[in-house]
Amino acid sequence: MERLIRGVFRHLQRRMLFVPEGISRDLAERIEVTQVDDWLRTTMGTVPVGMIIALVLYAAYWTHRGDPLLQAGFAAVFSGYATLFWLACRWRRQRREGSNVFGSMHRLLIMRFLLGIAWSVTLVALMRLSGTVERAMVASLPSGFMSTALFGGPALYALSFWVPMTIGGYAVLYASGTLFTAAPLACLSFYALLTFGVILTFDRKVLERNLAMARLEQHAETIGILLRDFEESASDWLWETDGALVLRHISERFAEVMRSDMRALEIGFLDLLRAHQAPDGGGPTAIDPLCALEEAIERRRPFREQIVPVCIGGERRWWALTGKPLFGEGGRFTGYRGVGSDVTSAYATRQQLAHLARHDPLTGLFNRNEFSAALATCVGNGTRNRTALFCLDLDEFKAINDGHGHDVGDAVLRIVAQRLRSALRPEAVVARLGGDEFAVLADIEREPDAVAIAERILETLARPFAVGELRLRTGISIGIAIVPDHGRESETIYRNADLALYRAKAAGRGTWRLYDGQEDTALLDRRLIAGDLRQAVQNGEIFVVYQPVHDLRTGDLVALEALVRWCHPTRGLMMPAAFVPLAEQGGMIDTIGMFVLASAADLARNLPPQITVAVNLSPIQLRDESLPERVREILARRDVAPARIELEITESVMLESGGKPFEVLRRLRAGGHQLAIDDFGVGYSSLAVLRSFTFDRLKIDRSFVCHLDESGSDLAILRAVVALGGALGISVSAEGVASAAQARRLAELGCAWGQGYYFSEPISAEQVMQRFTPRAGATLPHVEPIA
Ligand code: C2E
Ligand code: MG
Ligand code: MG
C-alpha cells in the first residue's frame, strides 16, 4: 500500500511539477531537492499564521465551544498544525544532516490535505453557529485559505491544501444555504479557478528558476571538477588577480611551481614576475619579454602563450602565460584570470632547433644560410661601412680525409673553426659554408686592414694541427672582396671573393688574393664556360673534326687526327684551347675524351684498314687506371682494332707525379695502340720524355715548322729531331705544314708524315668519307707527290 501511494505520489509529483522530459536524472533530482526545501520552508512559515487564525476564531466563538463538530474541527486543526510543524522541523534537521527525506515527503502532503479538511469542517461548523454578521466573514474565509495556498510554492504542495479548501468553500456555501445562489457560487468558482491558474503559473516560474539554478550549479560543479583535475594532472596552473592586479585564490599547483607559500604569493602579478625575472639570453638587442605582457595588461587586453623567462630557486625556467581580463557590472575591470605552464623543455628544444637552423653542427660556426643573411645585411647597409668578405678554402684537405679518415678530418675542421674565431674580433661573422669552405665577414676601414686580417688567418692556420698523436698541416687559400668597392650586391660580392680565391689557389695555395676586376673578369668568363661545358656533351654541342695526315714522300693520305670542337649555343664555335684546359680542371675531360675516341672509332670502321685515326689524350685521363679497359671496350663494341687508333700524349705528361701515367700508357701500348708524343720540342722535358717511355711516333710542334723557310736554327733543330727519331727507331711526323716548300723540305730531312693547312684543314667525318668514295677503288686521297 505504502509503495502504491509512493508510486502515485511520484507520478503526480512529476506531472504536477512539470519537470521537463529529457533532462538528466541528476538535474531532476537537484530540482526535487530544491522543491523539498521550498516545501519545508513554506510549511515552517505558514504553520504559525494558521495557528494564530485558528486561535482568534476559537476565541471569537468561545461561547459555542461546546459544539461537538466545532470542537472536533478545532482539535483537528490544532493537532494538524502541530504535527505539520513537528514533521517540518524533523525533516529540515534531517536535510541539514544530509539524509534523503524525499521518500517521506508524501506524509507532509497528506497532513496538509487533512489539515485542509479539518479547516473545512471547522468552517462549516462556524457557519452553522454564526449570526448574520459573522456569516459573511466565515463565507470569505475559505477564499482566504485558498489564497494562502498561492504562497505554498510548488504546485503539488499548494494543491494539497487548495483542493480540500476549495471543497470546504462549497461546503460552507452549502451550510449557509447560498450554494445555489448565483453571485456567491460564481464568485467562489471564479476565485477557485483564478487561484488554481495562479498556482500552476507560479509553479512553472519557480520550476524554471529552479531548473536554471540547478543547471548553473551543475555547470559550476563540472567546471570545478575539470579545473581541479587540470591542476592536479597537468603541469599547468591557474592564476587569478583582482582589479588591483594582486594575485588571488592561489592554487596549490602555482605555489608548488613557485616553490613558495600560498600566502606569500598574494602580491602584484607583475611584481612577482619582475622579482623572478631571468635574462632571456637573446643578447642586448632582444626585446624585454615582460614589456609585451605589461603592455597587454595595461591595455586590459587578453594575451596568449606569452613566453616569460623566470628564475625560480636559482633555476632558469620558461613560462607560457595566457590571461584574459575580467569585467564586472558596468564594464568595471575586476582582474585577470588565466593559465600558466612551464614550457622550459619545449622552449629549450625550440631554441636548440633555432640554433641548429643557423649554425653548422660540426664547428658551431654560422652555417651558409646565416652567412647569406649576414652578407645581405652588410650589403643592405649601403656604403656607410666597409666590410671585407673572405672566402677560405683549406688546401689539400681531401688528402687528410682520405689518408686519416673522416673523424680526423672533422677534428681538423673544428680546430680550424676555433683558430679562425680566435684570430678575429668577436663581432666578425665566421661561417662554415660546407666541406672545407669557410667564410668571414669583418668590418674594415681600408683595404690594408683586409690584407692584415688575411695574413693573420694564414699565420694561425699555418701551425700544425694536433689530432691525437697526429701532427697535421693544411694551408688555406683566401679570396677577398670588399663591400662596397667590389660589389654592392650579395651575389656579386660573393662571386668576386670566390674568383679571388680561385686565383689564390692557382697562385700556389697558402696565400691570399684580393679581387682584381680585369683578371677576375677573364677568370669569371672561363668559369662560366666551364659551367656550360658540363651540359655540352649531353646537349650534343661537342663534335669532332679530322685533320688529314699525309705521307710526305708519296702525298698519300695515311692518317687522320681527331680534333674536338664545341658549338656553344651563344659563343659560337669554340676551339679546344678555349675549353680543353677548363674541361681538365673541371673533371669533364674524360667524358669529352671518350666521346672523341668513340667518334674516331666510328670513322675508322668505315675507312680503309691502312688508315689510322689519331686521338689526343689528356694527361688527366692517364691518371685513371681503368682507362685502357674502357678504351678497349669502346673499340671492341665498334669492332675496331686498337692498331687503327693512335693515341697522342703531350710532353706535359712528364709533370704528372708518380709512375701511374706511364703504367697506363704501357698497358695501352700493350693493348695494341700506337703512341705518339705530341707537340714535341715545346716542353723543357722533351728528351727526358723520350727516355722515360718508348713512343711509336714523335710529332714535331708546328712552331718549328712554320719558320722553316726563314730560320736556320729551326732547320737545325728539325734535322736533330729527325735524326734523334731515326736513332731511337721512332717515326717522325710534322705539324703545321703550311706550304709545298715546307712539305718538300721536311721530306728531304727524313720526316715521314706531315699535317697542316697545306694538305687540309680539319674536316668533318662526312667530308672525310667523301674523299674515300668510292671505297671499292683502292685509290687513296692523294696530294701531289712531293719527291
Ligand atoms: P694538336 O694535337 O697539336 O693538334 C694540332 C693543332 O694544330 C690543331 O689545332 C690543328 O687545327 C692545328 N693545325 C693543324 N695544321 C695547322 C696549320 O697549318 N697551321 C696552324 N696554325 N694550325 C694548324 P686545334 O684543333 O685547335 O687543337 C689544338 C690542340 O687541342 C691540339 O693540338 C690538342 O693538343 C688539343 N686537342 C684537340 N682535340 C683534343 C681532344 O680530343 N682531346 C684532347 N685531350 N686534346 C685535344
Ligand atoms: Mg695532337
Ligand atoms: Mg700538336
Side-chain angles (χ1 to χ4, degrees), residues 547 561 563-565 576 596 616 618 678-679 702 735-736 756-757:
Q547 186 170 39
E561 180 175 5
L563 296 164
V564 69
R565 297 286 183 269
V596 175
N616 294 282
S618 154
D678 202 355
D679 302 342
R702 69 180 147 81
E735 294 179 328
Y757 294 165

Side-chain angles (χ1 to χ4, degrees), residues 544-778:
V544 185
V545 290
Y546 301 88
Q547 186 170 39
V549 181
H550 288 255
D551 185 311
L552 288 177
R553 267 180 209 289
T554 61
D556 291 344
L557 194 155
V558 284
L560 294 146
E561 180 175 5
L563 296 164
V564 69
R565 297 286 183 269
W566 177 16
C567 181
H568 190 278
T570 52
R571 294 169 193 259
L573 181 68
M574 291 179 66
M575 302 306 274
F579 66 91
V580 165
L582 299 180
E584 285 177 336
Q585 284 160 19
M588 287 90 71
I589 193 63
D590 190 66
T591 315
I592 293 174
M594 290 298 117
F595 173 77
V596 175
L597 179 76
S599 308
D602 284 338
L603 179 67
R605 201 168 55 154
N606 295 313
L607 291 176
Q610 66 274 32
I611 308 291
T612 55
V613 183
V615 171
N616 294 282
L617 282 186
S618 154
I620 310 285
Q621 286 177 276
L622 295 174
R623 289 179 191 170
D624 186 352
E625 288 171 5
S626 70
L627 182 75
E629 187 53 29
R630 289 186 291 124
V631 170
R632 197 188 61 74
E633 261 175 43
I634 288 175
L635 298 189
R637 219 176 297 142
R638 289 165 176 78
D639 199 19
V640 173
R644 304 282 312 279
I645 303 293
E646 190 168 291
L647 301 171
E648 295 187 7
I649 300 100
T650 54
E651 286 174 309
S652 61
V653 74
M654 287 300 289
L655 300 174
E656 292 289 305
S657 56
K660 215 194 266 178
F662 290 110
E663 173 56 23
V664 172
L665 279 178
R666 197 192 54 71
R667 283 168 51 206
L668 284 168
R669 193 154 185 266
H673 293 283
Q674 297 266 314
L675 298 184
I677 182 83
D678 202 355
D679 302 342
F680 188 82
V682 288
Y684 48 85
S685 55
S686 299
L687 290 173
V689 77
L690 287 181
R691 231 187 17 234
S692 311
F693 196 80
T694 317
F695 287 94
D696 302 291
R697 192 179 315 284
L698 191 157
K699 293 185 79 171
I700 304 172
D701 190 71
R702 69 180 147 81
S703 55
F704 297 103
V705 179
C706 61
H707 306 297
L708 187 61
D709 309 325
E710 320 100 64
S711 163
S713 63
D714 280 354
L715 182 68
I717 291 171
L718 279 175
R719 187 173 287 128
V721 171
V722 173
L724 182 71
L728 293 171
I730 304 173
S731 168
V732 178
S733 177
E735 294 179 328
V737 183
S739 65
Q742 285 175 355
R744 205 173 306 117
R745 205 62 191 272
L746 285 162
E748 284 164 11
L749 284 172
C751 195
W753 289 359
Q755 69 188 88
Y757 294 165
Y758 165 64
F759 296 107
S760 167
E761 286 193 12
I763 52 174
S764 69
E766 290 75 35
Q767 287 169 309
V768 172
M769 290 312 298
Q770 279 164 17
R771 294 197 182 183
F772 285 94
T773 311
R775 268 185 67 191

Side-chain angles (χ1 to χ4, degrees), residues 445-505:
E445 279 180 18
R446 296 165 305 120
E447 207 174 274
D449 298 342
V451 173
I453 293 175
E455 296 206 313
R456 204 160 60 235
I457 294 174
L458 287 175
E459 196 187 302
T460 9
L461 295 179
R463 295 201 315 271
F465 300 95
V467 182
E469 302 286 288
L470 297 168
R471 290 284 175 280
L472 302 166
R473 274 179 195 279
T474 171
I476 196 155
S477 303
I478 306 176
I480 314 165
I482 295 170
V483 184
D485 310 12
H486 301 147
R488 287 160 193 267
E489 282 172 14
S490 294
E491 275 169 34
T492 320
I493 202 81
Y494 182 74
R495 192 195 55 208
N496 290 346
D498 198 38
L499 285 170
L501 170 67
Y502 198 75
R503 241 173 350 105
K505 278 193 170 293

